[in-house]
PDB file of all heavy atoms in Angstrom:
ATOM      1  N   TYR A   1       0.870  -1.174  -0.001  1.00  0.00           N
ATOM      2  CA  TYR A   1       0.001  -0.002  -0.002  1.00  0.00           C
ATOM      3  C   TYR A   1       0.905   1.220  -0.001  1.00  0.00           C
ATOM      4  O   TYR A   1       1.941   1.253   0.677  1.00  0.00           O
ATOM      5  CB  TYR A   1      -0.905   0.024   1.239  1.00  0.00           C
ATOM      6  CG  TYR A   1      -2.058  -0.928   1.135  1.00  0.00           C
ATOM      7  CD1 TYR A   1      -1.980  -2.207   1.677  1.00  0.00           C
ATOM      8  CD2 TYR A   1      -3.218  -0.556   0.471  1.00  0.00           C
ATOM      9  CE1 TYR A   1      -3.049  -3.090   1.566  1.00  0.00           C
ATOM     10  CE2 TYR A   1      -4.284  -1.434   0.361  1.00  0.00           C
ATOM     11  CZ  TYR A   1      -4.195  -2.688   0.907  1.00  0.00           C
ATOM     12  OH  TYR A   1      -5.237  -3.560   0.787  1.00  0.00           O
ATOM     13  N   VAL A   2       0.510   2.240  -0.766  1.00  0.00           N
ATOM     14  CA  VAL A   2       1.314   3.446  -0.895  1.00  0.00           C
ATOM     15  C   VAL A   2       0.422   4.672  -0.713  1.00  0.00           C
ATOM     16  O   VAL A   2      -0.647   4.749  -1.315  1.00  0.00           O
ATOM     17  CB  VAL A   2       2.010   3.514  -2.276  1.00  0.00           C
ATOM     18  CG1 VAL A   2       2.864   4.775  -2.394  1.00  0.00           C
ATOM     19  CG2 VAL A   2       2.855   2.281  -2.517  1.00  0.00           C
ATOM     20  N   LEU A   3       0.861   5.579   0.132  1.00  0.00           N
ATOM     21  CA  LEU A   3       0.211   6.874   0.259  1.00  0.00           C
ATOM     22  C   LEU A   3       1.077   7.860  -0.523  1.00  0.00           C
ATOM     23  O   LEU A   3       2.189   8.182  -0.104  1.00  0.00           O
ATOM     24  CB  LEU A   3       0.112   7.290   1.731  1.00  0.00           C
ATOM     25  CG  LEU A   3      -0.359   8.707   2.023  1.00  0.00           C
ATOM     26  CD1 LEU A   3      -1.730   8.975   1.416  1.00  0.00           C
ATOM     27  CD2 LEU A   3      -0.379   8.964   3.506  1.00  0.00           C
ATOM     28  N   VAL A   4       0.598   8.262  -1.698  1.00  0.00           N
ATOM     29  CA  VAL A   4       1.317   9.211  -2.549  1.00  0.00           C
ATOM     30  C   VAL A   4       0.810  10.609  -2.198  1.00  0.00           C
ATOM     31  O   VAL A   4      -0.395  10.865  -2.234  1.00  0.00           O
ATOM     32  CB  VAL A   4       1.065   8.930  -4.050  1.00  0.00           C
ATOM     33  CG1 VAL A   4       1.837   9.917  -4.915  1.00  0.00           C
ATOM     34  CG2 VAL A   4       1.433   7.494  -4.395  1.00  0.00           C
ATOM     35  N   ASN A   5       1.738  11.493  -1.855  1.00  0.00           N
ATOM     36  CA  ASN A   5       1.379  12.850  -1.490  1.00  0.00           C
ATOM     37  C   ASN A   5       2.026  13.819  -2.462  1.00  0.00           C
ATOM     38  O   ASN A   5       3.247  13.845  -2.599  1.00  0.00           O
ATOM     39  CB  ASN A   5       1.838  13.144  -0.052  1.00  0.00           C
ATOM     40  CG  ASN A   5       1.491  14.537   0.387  1.00  0.00           C
ATOM     41  OD1 ASN A   5       2.327  15.427   0.299  1.00  0.00           O
ATOM     42  ND2 ASN A   5       0.280  14.729   0.851  1.00  0.00           N
ATOM     43  N   PHE A   6       1.195  14.586  -3.173  1.00  0.00           N
ATOM     44  CA  PHE A   6       1.659  15.626  -4.086  1.00  0.00           C
ATOM     45  C   PHE A   6       1.707  16.929  -3.293  1.00  0.00           C
ATOM     46  O   PHE A   6       0.705  17.327  -2.689  1.00  0.00           O
ATOM     47  CB  PHE A   6       0.710  15.763  -5.274  1.00  0.00           C
ATOM     48  CG  PHE A   6       0.714  14.556  -6.172  1.00  0.00           C
ATOM     49  CD1 PHE A   6      -0.203  13.538  -5.997  1.00  0.00           C
ATOM     50  CD2 PHE A   6       1.649  14.436  -7.194  1.00  0.00           C
ATOM     51  CE1 PHE A   6      -0.216  12.420  -6.814  1.00  0.00           C
ATOM     52  CE2 PHE A   6       1.655  13.319  -8.027  1.00  0.00           C
ATOM     53  CZ  PHE A   6       0.720  12.315  -7.835  1.00  0.00           C
ATOM     54  N   TRP A   7       2.852  17.601  -3.330  1.00  0.00           N
ATOM     55  CA  TRP A   7       3.040  18.790  -2.501  1.00  0.00           C
ATOM     56  C   TRP A   7       4.025  19.744  -3.172  1.00  0.00           C
ATOM     57  O   TRP A   7       4.589  19.438  -4.220  1.00  0.00           O
ATOM     58  CB  TRP A   7       3.545  18.359  -1.123  1.00  0.00           C
ATOM     59  CG  TRP A   7       4.981  17.877  -1.143  1.00  0.00           C
ATOM     60  CD1 TRP A   7       5.448  16.676  -1.618  1.00  0.00           C
ATOM     61  CD2 TRP A   7       6.115  18.611  -0.713  1.00  0.00           C
ATOM     62  NE1 TRP A   7       6.808  16.623  -1.495  1.00  0.00           N
ATOM     63  CE2 TRP A   7       7.242  17.788  -0.937  1.00  0.00           C
ATOM     64  CE3 TRP A   7       6.293  19.876  -0.159  1.00  0.00           C
ATOM     65  CZ2 TRP A   7       8.533  18.204  -0.629  1.00  0.00           C
ATOM     66  CZ3 TRP A   7       7.582  20.280   0.160  1.00  0.00           C
ATOM     67  CH2 TRP A   7       8.682  19.443  -0.076  1.00  0.00           C
ATOM     68  N   ALA A   8       4.248  20.905  -2.547  1.00  0.00           N
ATOM     69  CA  ALA A   8       5.239  21.874  -3.026  1.00  0.00           C
ATOM     70  C   ALA A   8       5.774  22.663  -1.836  1.00  0.00           C
ATOM     71  O   ALA A   8       5.076  22.841  -0.832  1.00  0.00           O
ATOM     72  CB  ALA A   8       4.620  22.824  -4.046  1.00  0.00           C
ATOM     73  N   THR A   9       6.992  23.158  -1.970  1.00  0.00           N
ATOM     74  CA  THR A   9       7.618  23.900  -0.876  1.00  0.00           C
ATOM     75  C   THR A   9       6.879  25.195  -0.550  1.00  0.00           C
ATOM     76  O   THR A   9       6.896  25.649   0.590  1.00  0.00           O
ATOM     77  CB  THR A   9       9.085  24.243  -1.218  1.00  0.00           C
ATOM     78  OG1 THR A   9       9.121  24.937  -2.467  1.00  0.00           O
ATOM     79  CG2 THR A   9       9.940  22.985  -1.304  1.00  0.00           C
ATOM     80  N   TRP A  10       6.238  25.810  -1.536  1.00  0.00           N
ATOM     81  CA  TRP A  10       5.545  27.076  -1.329  1.00  0.00           C
ATOM     82  C   TRP A  10       4.139  26.910  -0.745  1.00  0.00           C
ATOM     83  O   TRP A  10       3.485  27.883  -0.397  1.00  0.00           O
ATOM     84  CB  TRP A  10       5.453  27.850  -2.644  1.00  0.00           C
ATOM     85  CG  TRP A  10       4.905  27.024  -3.771  1.00  0.00           C
ATOM     86  CD1 TRP A  10       5.629  26.365  -4.723  1.00  0.00           C
ATOM     87  CD2 TRP A  10       3.530  26.729  -4.042  1.00  0.00           C
ATOM     88  NE1 TRP A  10       4.790  25.682  -5.577  1.00  0.00           N
ATOM     89  CE2 TRP A  10       3.486  25.891  -5.170  1.00  0.00           C
ATOM     90  CE3 TRP A  10       2.328  27.079  -3.446  1.00  0.00           C
ATOM     91  CZ2 TRP A  10       2.305  25.407  -5.709  1.00  0.00           C
ATOM     92  CZ3 TRP A  10       1.144  26.606  -3.990  1.00  0.00           C
ATOM     93  CH2 TRP A  10       1.146  25.779  -5.102  1.00  0.00           C
ATOM     94  N   CYS A  11       3.672  25.674  -0.626  1.00  0.00           N
ATOM     95  CA  CYS A  11       2.315  25.374  -0.183  1.00  0.00           C
ATOM     96  C   CYS A  11       2.262  25.230   1.340  1.00  0.00           C
ATOM     97  O   CYS A  11       2.784  24.244   1.889  1.00  0.00           O
ATOM     98  CB  CYS A  11       1.852  24.087  -0.877  1.00  0.00           C
ATOM     99  SG  CYS A  11       0.361  23.333  -0.214  1.00  0.00           S
ATOM    100  N   ALA A  12       1.667  26.200   2.024  1.00  0.00           N
ATOM    101  CA  ALA A  12       1.623  26.182   3.498  1.00  0.00           C
ATOM    102  C   ALA A  12       0.938  24.927   4.061  1.00  0.00           C
ATOM    103  O   ALA A  12       1.467  24.301   4.984  1.00  0.00           O
ATOM    104  CB  ALA A  12       0.950  27.450   4.026  1.00  0.00           C
ATOM    105  N   PRO A  13      -0.233  24.501   3.545  1.00  0.00           N
ATOM    106  CA  PRO A  13      -0.834  23.279   4.076  1.00  0.00           C
ATOM    107  C   PRO A  13       0.046  22.043   3.845  1.00  0.00           C
ATOM    108  O   PRO A  13       0.079  21.136   4.679  1.00  0.00           O
ATOM    109  CB  PRO A  13      -2.156  23.151   3.310  1.00  0.00           C
ATOM    110  CG  PRO A  13      -2.459  24.527   2.822  1.00  0.00           C
ATOM    111  CD  PRO A  13      -1.124  25.165   2.587  1.00  0.00           C
ATOM    112  N   CYS A  14       0.776  22.031   2.731  1.00  0.00           N
ATOM    113  CA  CYS A  14       1.693  20.918   2.447  1.00  0.00           C
ATOM    114  C   CYS A  14       2.787  20.863   3.503  1.00  0.00           C
ATOM    115  O   CYS A  14       3.106  19.796   4.051  1.00  0.00           O
ATOM    116  CB  CYS A  14       2.352  21.087   1.081  1.00  0.00           C
ATOM    117  SG  CYS A  14       1.222  21.184  -0.326  1.00  0.00           S
ATOM    118  N   ARG A  15       3.363  22.013   3.781  1.00  0.00           N
ATOM    119  CA  ARG A  15       4.450  22.099   4.766  1.00  0.00           C
ATOM    120  C   ARG A  15       3.946  21.643   6.130  1.00  0.00           C
ATOM    121  O   ARG A  15       4.660  20.969   6.862  1.00  0.00           O
ATOM    122  CB  ARG A  15       4.964  23.530   4.838  1.00  0.00           C
ATOM    123  CG  ARG A  15       5.588  24.016   3.544  1.00  0.00           C
ATOM    124  CD  ARG A  15       5.830  25.522   3.550  1.00  0.00           C
ATOM    125  NE  ARG A  15       6.859  25.901   4.481  1.00  0.00           N
ATOM    126  CZ  ARG A  15       8.115  26.159   4.135  1.00  0.00           C
ATOM    127  NH1 ARG A  15       8.486  26.063   2.874  1.00  0.00           N
ATOM    128  NH2 ARG A  15       8.989  26.506   5.036  1.00  0.00           N
ATOM    129  N   LYS A  16       2.705  22.020   6.449  1.00  0.00           N
ATOM    130  CA  LYS A  16       2.133  21.676   7.754  1.00  0.00           C
ATOM    131  C   LYS A  16       1.969  20.174   7.920  1.00  0.00           C
ATOM    132  O   LYS A  16       2.184  19.636   9.007  1.00  0.00           O
ATOM    133  CB  LYS A  16       0.770  22.377   7.889  1.00  0.00           C
ATOM    134  CG  LYS A  16       0.025  22.053   9.140  1.00  0.00           C
ATOM    135  CD  LYS A  16      -1.334  22.738   9.143  1.00  0.00           C
ATOM    136  CE  LYS A  16      -2.231  22.085  10.166  1.00  0.00           C
ATOM    137  NZ  LYS A  16      -3.626  22.407   9.931  1.00  0.00           N
ATOM    138  N   GLU A  17       1.593  19.448   6.855  1.00  0.00           N
ATOM    139  CA  GLU A  17       1.319  18.020   7.012  1.00  0.00           C
ATOM    140  C   GLU A  17       2.541  17.120   6.833  1.00  0.00           C
ATOM    141  O   GLU A  17       2.485  15.940   7.141  1.00  0.00           O
ATOM    142  CB  GLU A  17       0.173  17.579   6.099  1.00  0.00           C
ATOM    143  CG  GLU A  17       0.500  17.416   4.655  1.00  0.00           C
ATOM    144  CD  GLU A  17      -0.683  16.897   3.837  1.00  0.00           C
ATOM    145  OE1 GLU A  17      -1.715  16.482   4.386  1.00  0.00           O
ATOM    146  OE2 GLU A  17      -0.545  16.910   2.606  1.00  0.00           O
ATOM    147  N   LEU A  18       3.666  17.654   6.363  1.00  0.00           N
ATOM    148  CA  LEU A  18       4.854  16.828   6.155  1.00  0.00           C
ATOM    149  C   LEU A  18       5.308  16.078   7.411  1.00  0.00           C
ATOM    150  O   LEU A  18       5.609  14.890   7.333  1.00  0.00           O
ATOM    151  CB  LEU A  18       6.000  17.658   5.575  1.00  0.00           C
ATOM    152  CG  LEU A  18       5.919  17.953   4.075  1.00  0.00           C
ATOM    153  CD1 LEU A  18       6.979  18.984   3.682  1.00  0.00           C
ATOM    154  CD2 LEU A  18       6.063  16.690   3.257  1.00  0.00           C
ATOM    155  N   PRO A  19       5.375  16.730   8.585  1.00  0.00           N
ATOM    156  CA  PRO A  19       5.800  15.979   9.771  1.00  0.00           C
ATOM    157  C   PRO A  19       4.858  14.813  10.113  1.00  0.00           C
ATOM    158  O   PRO A  19       5.308  13.755  10.554  1.00  0.00           O
ATOM    159  CB  PRO A  19       5.810  17.031  10.886  1.00  0.00           C
ATOM    160  CG  PRO A  19       5.991  18.333  10.178  1.00  0.00           C
ATOM    161  CD  PRO A  19       5.250  18.170   8.873  1.00  0.00           C
ATOM    162  N   ALA A  20       3.562  14.996   9.890  1.00  0.00           N
ATOM    163  CA  ALA A  20       2.608  13.916  10.170  1.00  0.00           C
ATOM    164  C   ALA A  20       2.780  12.771   9.174  1.00  0.00           C
ATOM    165  O   ALA A  20       2.713  11.594   9.554  1.00  0.00           O
ATOM    166  CB  ALA A  20       1.178  14.458  10.113  1.00  0.00           C
ATOM    167  N   LEU A  21       3.030  13.097   7.910  1.00  0.00           N
ATOM    168  CA  LEU A  21       3.295  12.061   6.916  1.00  0.00           C
ATOM    169  C   LEU A  21       4.582  11.309   7.265  1.00  0.00           C
ATOM    170  O   LEU A  21       4.654  10.078   7.131  1.00  0.00           O
ATOM    171  CB  LEU A  21       3.415  12.678   5.521  1.00  0.00           C
ATOM    172  CG  LEU A  21       2.113  13.164   4.898  1.00  0.00           C
ATOM    173  CD1 LEU A  21       2.392  14.108   3.723  1.00  0.00           C
ATOM    174  CD2 LEU A  21       1.259  11.998   4.455  1.00  0.00           C
ATOM    175  N   ASP A  22       5.582  12.050   7.728  1.00  0.00           N
ATOM    176  CA  ASP A  22       6.844  11.433   8.130  1.00  0.00           C
ATOM    177  C   ASP A  22       6.635  10.472   9.304  1.00  0.00           C
ATOM    178  O   ASP A  22       7.150   9.359   9.304  1.00  0.00           O
ATOM    179  CB  ASP A  22       7.850  12.528   8.490  1.00  0.00           C
ATOM    180  CG  ASP A  22       9.233  11.986   8.768  1.00  0.00           C
ATOM    181  OD1 ASP A  22       9.796  11.310   7.894  1.00  0.00           O
ATOM    182  OD2 ASP A  22       9.760  12.257   9.864  1.00  0.00           O
ATOM    183  N   ALA A  23       5.870  10.889  10.304  1.00  0.00           N
ATOM    184  CA  ALA A  23       5.596  10.027  11.459  1.00  0.00           C
ATOM    185  C   ALA A  23       4.828   8.782  11.040  1.00  0.00           C
ATOM    186  O   ALA A  23       5.132   7.675  11.508  1.00  0.00           O
ATOM    187  CB  ALA A  23       4.812  10.809  12.522  1.00  0.00           C
ATOM    188  N   LEU A  24       3.861   8.943  10.146  1.00  0.00           N
ATOM    189  CA  LEU A  24       3.094   7.794   9.647  1.00  0.00           C
ATOM    190  C   LEU A  24       4.020   6.826   8.931  1.00  0.00           C
ATOM    191  O   LEU A  24       3.943   5.607   9.125  1.00  0.00           O
ATOM    192  CB  LEU A  24       1.986   8.279   8.720  1.00  0.00           C
ATOM    193  CG  LEU A  24       0.960   7.244   8.290  1.00  0.00           C
ATOM    194  CD1 LEU A  24       0.083   6.837   9.462  1.00  0.00           C
ATOM    195  CD2 LEU A  24       0.100   7.792   7.159  1.00  0.00           C
ATOM    196  N   ASN A  25       4.928   7.353   8.127  1.00  0.00           N
ATOM    197  CA  ASN A  25       5.865   6.506   7.395  1.00  0.00           C
ATOM    198  C   ASN A  25       6.838   5.802   8.341  1.00  0.00           C
ATOM    199  O   ASN A  25       7.162   4.627   8.167  1.00  0.00           O
ATOM    200  CB  ASN A  25       6.619   7.315   6.344  1.00  0.00           C
ATOM    201  CG  ASN A  25       7.336   6.438   5.361  1.00  0.00           C
ATOM    202  OD1 ASN A  25       6.743   5.564   4.743  1.00  0.00           O
ATOM    203  ND2 ASN A  25       8.632   6.647   5.230  1.00  0.00           N
ATOM    204  N   ARG A  26       7.314   6.512   9.348  1.00  0.00           N
ATOM    205  CA  ARG A  26       8.228   5.905  10.327  1.00  0.00           C
ATOM    206  C   ARG A  26       7.556   4.746  11.060  1.00  0.00           C
ATOM    207  O   ARG A  26       8.162   3.714  11.313  1.00  0.00           O
ATOM    208  CB  ARG A  26       8.719   6.931  11.331  1.00  0.00           C
ATOM    209  CG  ARG A  26       9.907   7.738  10.872  1.00  0.00           C
ATOM    210  CD  ARG A  26      10.583   8.492  12.014  1.00  0.00           C
ATOM    211  NE  ARG A  26       9.666   9.085  12.970  1.00  0.00           N
ATOM    212  CZ  ARG A  26       9.165  10.311  12.883  1.00  0.00           C
ATOM    213  NH1 ARG A  26       9.469  11.084  11.863  1.00  0.00           N
ATOM    214  NH2 ARG A  26       8.359  10.773  13.802  1.00  0.00           N
ATOM    215  N   ASP A  27       6.281   4.930  11.412  1.00  0.00           N
ATOM    216  CA  ASP A  27       5.582   3.931  12.219  1.00  0.00           C
ATOM    217  C   ASP A  27       5.007   2.775  11.406  1.00  0.00           C
ATOM    218  O   ASP A  27       4.920   1.664  11.906  1.00  0.00           O
ATOM    219  CB  ASP A  27       4.469   4.594  13.035  1.00  0.00           C
ATOM    220  CG  ASP A  27       5.019   5.538  14.085  1.00  0.00           C
ATOM    221  OD1 ASP A  27       6.244   5.484  14.367  1.00  0.00           O
ATOM    222  OD2 ASP A  27       4.245   6.332  14.623  1.00  0.00           O
ATOM    223  N   PHE A  28       4.591   3.026  10.165  1.00  0.00           N
ATOM    224  CA  PHE A  28       3.954   1.983   9.360  1.00  0.00           C
ATOM    225  C   PHE A  28       4.795   1.553   8.153  1.00  0.00           C
ATOM    226  O   PHE A  28       4.515   0.522   7.563  1.00  0.00           O
ATOM    227  CB  PHE A  28       2.577   2.455   8.843  1.00  0.00           C
ATOM    228  CG  PHE A  28       1.518   2.481   9.889  1.00  0.00           C
ATOM    229  CD1 PHE A  28       1.271   3.624  10.633  1.00  0.00           C
ATOM    230  CD2 PHE A  28       0.735   1.366  10.130  1.00  0.00           C
ATOM    231  CE1 PHE A  28       0.278   3.657  11.600  1.00  0.00           C
ATOM    232  CE2 PHE A  28      -0.263   1.376  11.092  1.00  0.00           C
ATOM    233  CZ  PHE A  28      -0.487   2.530  11.828  1.00  0.00           C
ATOM    234  N   GLY A  29       5.765   2.369   7.765  1.00  0.00           N
ATOM    235  CA  GLY A  29       6.542   2.089   6.556  1.00  0.00           C
ATOM    236  C   GLY A  29       7.323   0.789   6.644  1.00  0.00           C
ATOM    237  O   GLY A  29       7.799   0.414   7.716  1.00  0.00           O
ATOM    238  N   GLY A  30       7.421   0.120   5.519  1.00  0.00           N
ATOM    239  CA  GLY A  30       8.135  -1.149   5.469  1.00  0.00           C
ATOM    240  C   GLY A  30       7.726  -1.937   4.246  1.00  0.00           C
ATOM    241  O   GLY A  30       7.422  -1.370   3.203  1.00  0.00           O
ATOM    242  N   ASP A  31       7.673  -3.255   4.398  1.00  0.00           N
ATOM    243  CA  ASP A  31       7.350  -4.137   3.278  1.00  0.00           C
ATOM    244  C   ASP A  31       5.915  -3.991   2.779  1.00  0.00           C
ATOM    245  O   ASP A  31       5.627  -4.292   1.632  1.00  0.00           O
ATOM    246  CB  ASP A  31       7.589  -5.598   3.662  1.00  0.00           C
ATOM    247  CG  ASP A  31       9.068  -5.891   3.878  1.00  0.00           C
ATOM    248  OD1 ASP A  31       9.909  -5.132   3.381  1.00  0.00           O
ATOM    249  OD2 ASP A  31       9.360  -6.902   4.549  1.00  0.00           O
ATOM    250  N   ASP A  32       4.997  -3.527   3.653  1.00  0.00           N
ATOM    251  CA  ASP A  32       3.578  -3.494   3.301  1.00  0.00           C
ATOM    252  C   ASP A  32       3.016  -2.098   3.052  1.00  0.00           C
ATOM    253  O   ASP A  32       1.905  -1.956   2.549  1.00  0.00           O
ATOM    254  CB  ASP A  32       2.754  -4.173   4.403  1.00  0.00           C
ATOM    255  CG  ASP A  32       3.133  -5.632   4.582  1.00  0.00           C
ATOM    256  OD1 ASP A  32       3.414  -6.292   3.573  1.00  0.00           O
ATOM    257  OD2 ASP A  32       3.150  -6.098   5.733  1.00  0.00           O
ATOM    258  N   PHE A  33       3.761  -1.053   3.427  1.00  0.00           N
ATOM    259  CA  PHE A  33       3.242   0.303   3.330  1.00  0.00           C
ATOM    260  C   PHE A  33       4.397   1.290   3.202  1.00  0.00           C
ATOM    261  O   PHE A  33       5.459   1.086   3.799  1.00  0.00           O
ATOM    262  CB  PHE A  33       2.412   0.662   4.572  1.00  0.00           C
ATOM    263  CG  PHE A  33       1.928   2.078   4.602  1.00  0.00           C
ATOM    264  CD1 PHE A  33       0.838   2.475   3.829  1.00  0.00           C
ATOM    265  CD2 PHE A  33       2.564   3.028   5.380  1.00  0.00           C
ATOM    266  CE1 PHE A  33       0.398   3.794   3.835  1.00  0.00           C
ATOM    267  CE2 PHE A  33       2.130   4.345   5.396  1.00  0.00           C
ATOM    268  CZ  PHE A  33       1.048   4.725   4.630  1.00  0.00           C
ATOM    269  N   GLU A  34       4.147   2.369   2.451  1.00  0.00           N
ATOM    270  CA  GLU A  34       5.141   3.440   2.356  1.00  0.00           C
ATOM    271  C   GLU A  34       4.455   4.742   1.965  1.00  0.00           C
ATOM    272  O   GLU A  34       3.499   4.749   1.193  1.00  0.00           O
ATOM    273  CB  GLU A  34       6.203   3.090   1.314  1.00  0.00           C
ATOM    274  CG  GLU A  34       7.367   4.043   1.307  1.00  0.00           C
ATOM    275  CD  GLU A  34       8.540   3.529   0.485  1.00  0.00           C
ATOM    276  OE1 GLU A  34       8.544   2.357   0.091  1.00  0.00           O
ATOM    277  OE2 GLU A  34       9.452   4.335   0.245  1.00  0.00           O
TER     278      GLU A  34
END
């Protein structure tokens, strides 16, 4: 399973959610999810 996130450096909402996406990837990322 893959969560694809389209974003940009100039996009404030994108910047805001990056740490949450990173935490989700750290906790669930691996052979089954990224």
Side-chain angles (χ1 to χ4, degrees):
Y1 283 95
V2 181
L3 171 57
V4 181
N5 180 264
F6 293 94
W7 72 285
T9 55
W10 51 263
C11 167
C14 301
R15 297 168 69 99
K16 176 183 163 198
E17 77 177 350
L18 281 170
L21 288 163
D22 187 57
L24 189 69
N25 194 54
R26 276 194 320 269
D27 293 346
F28 286 92
D31 293 340
D32 299 323
F33 176 77
E34 189 168 349

